[in-house]
């Protein structure tokens, strides 16, 4: 076994916005453990996931492939059983691969961890990471290992807070209006409290790493996606915190604006372990960028969104392409284009139209200058000045969709409805539909995927 193979500990928080850390600019939120880690390592300011929802985000992190390719582009669904996970790939390089805490990925045949420990009961609204198992393993590890420590915080339910003050919290363009709602302020205060809970758990992990794994250990912190941009392709959903510490290798207190992506984690870990990542993976290694290289890893990163298989389920898919400075979004069932999405099945058409109408204010195309407009408030898609850039990015996006075997990369006018856990024609408190449309869809109306 090569002595240079590092141990790798990857701490993954759950549903926390990238802007809600001291190190990322929020001086009103209490994130001392993350901020301390940043002082000891490198902070990436352009790290992304390809989908702002739990299972798809984690599935790409563990497979090295975007959601459309690996198959988990709806929440609560498995990846294709042909996928090869990081557990299998790192095992071939002499590593043990462990998942400690929240899973949210399947099937077990793909995610066949060497050890898996579930979250444990705690005193707060969420379960805690299995700290005893983690410490025991750190003490006795005989081989190099990768351990994903997946927290359930700060995901809802939040701590209950009443009488909170808006002046104690930072607001952004997307939630500025909440300042005037005491209910919203109390909810945000509960989220802040959950963030503190997560930081305490990270603090314990750092303490154990420092106690038992002082030499040659790469420690990474991230959060799977942003909560305020959940289900969207805006940066507040897809941009993630990403901080890495590796004493003696990574420069302390450094920062990198190189674009990296969750699909890059698998090839990066393979390279660090002495292997060579397969070329068929969507991701690319950023091992050199961990060590200070400023060479770009990607020209573009991509993102997907679906409103199906969410509680308020609707037909409204979106696709995104992003460079370091610009973002182009195509909302494929916008009210502007819904008529061309209709087929010869009247009931299916009703649900397609309902999806477009539910998001009637969202245009077919969006283009943002992220340098001048980081909060994506000023849509430039109709501006004559940006038509050449828009066309270039749109063409690259369509090519990527085709390469991914996207269900929406076929002939224009095809808008499939997807077989999902939450059915379009089943009413619930989240899914209000006209009485005459209840239970109208048949099995053959759905596009069946791999599950």
């Amino acid at each position: 076994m090569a002595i240079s193979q590092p141990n790798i500990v990857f701490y993954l928080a759950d549903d926390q916005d990238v802007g809600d850390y001291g190190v990322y600019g929020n001086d009103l939120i209490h994130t001392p453990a993350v901020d301390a880690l940043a002082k000891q390592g490198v902070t990436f300011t352009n790290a992304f996931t390809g989908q702002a929802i739990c299972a798809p985000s984690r599935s790409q992190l563990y497979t090295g492939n975007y959601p459309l390719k690996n198959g988990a582009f709806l929440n609560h669904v498995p990846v294709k059983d042909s996928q090869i996970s990081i557990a299998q790939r790192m095992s071939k390089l002499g590593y043990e691969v462990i998942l400690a805490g929240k899973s949210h990925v399947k099937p077990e045949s793909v995610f066949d961890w060497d050890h898996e420990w579930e979250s444990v009961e705690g005193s707060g609204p969420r379960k805690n990471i299995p700290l005893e198992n983690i410490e025991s393993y750190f003490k006795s590890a005989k081989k190099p290992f990768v351990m994903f420590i997946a927290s359930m915080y700060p995901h809802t339910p939040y701590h209950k807070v009443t009488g909170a003050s808006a002046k104690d919290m930072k607001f952004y363009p997307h939630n500025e209006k909440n300042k005037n709602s005491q209910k919203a302020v109390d909810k945000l205060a509960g989220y802040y409290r959950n963030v503190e809970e997560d930081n305490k758990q990270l603090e314990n992990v750092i303490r154990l790493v420092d106690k038992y794994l002082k030499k040659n250990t790469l420690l990474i912190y991230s959060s799977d996606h942003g909560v305020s941009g959940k289900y969207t392709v805006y940066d507040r959903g897809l941009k993630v915190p990403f901080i890495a510490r590796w004493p003696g290798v990574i420069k302390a207190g450094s920062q990198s604006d190189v674009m990296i992506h969750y699909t890059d984690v698998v090839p990066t870990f393979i390279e660090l372990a002495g292997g060579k990542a397969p070329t068929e993976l969507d991701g690319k290694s950023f091992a050199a960028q961990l060590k200070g290289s400023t060479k770009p890893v990607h020209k573009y990163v991509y993102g997907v969104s679906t409103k199906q298989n969410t509680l308020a389920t609707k037909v409204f898919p979106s696709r995104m392409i992003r460079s370091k400075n610009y973002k182009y979004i195509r909302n494929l069932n916008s009210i502007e284009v819904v008529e061309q999405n209709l087929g010869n099945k009247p009931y299916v058409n009703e649900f397609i139209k309902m999806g477009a109408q539910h998001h009637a204010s969202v245009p077919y195309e969006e283009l943002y200058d992220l340098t001048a407009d980081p909060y994506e408030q000023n849509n430039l898609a109709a501006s004559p000045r940006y038509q050449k850039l828009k066309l270039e990015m749109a063409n690259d996006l369509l090519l990527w969709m085709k390469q991914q075997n996207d269900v929406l990369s076929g002939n224009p006018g095809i808008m499939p409805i997807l077989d999902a856990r939450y059915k379009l024609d089943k009413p619930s408190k989240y899914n209000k539909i006209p009485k005459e449309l209840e239970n109208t869809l048949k099995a053959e109306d759905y596009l069946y995927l791999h599950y």
Side-chain angles (χ1 to χ4, degrees), residues 338-355:
V338 66
E339 291 298 324
Q340 74 183 36
N341 291 336
L342 306 179
N344 57 9
K345 295 181 176 182
Y347 286 126
V348 170
N349 288 344
E350 288 303 312
F351 285 104
I352 292 173
K353 287 189 285 187
M354 193 184 303

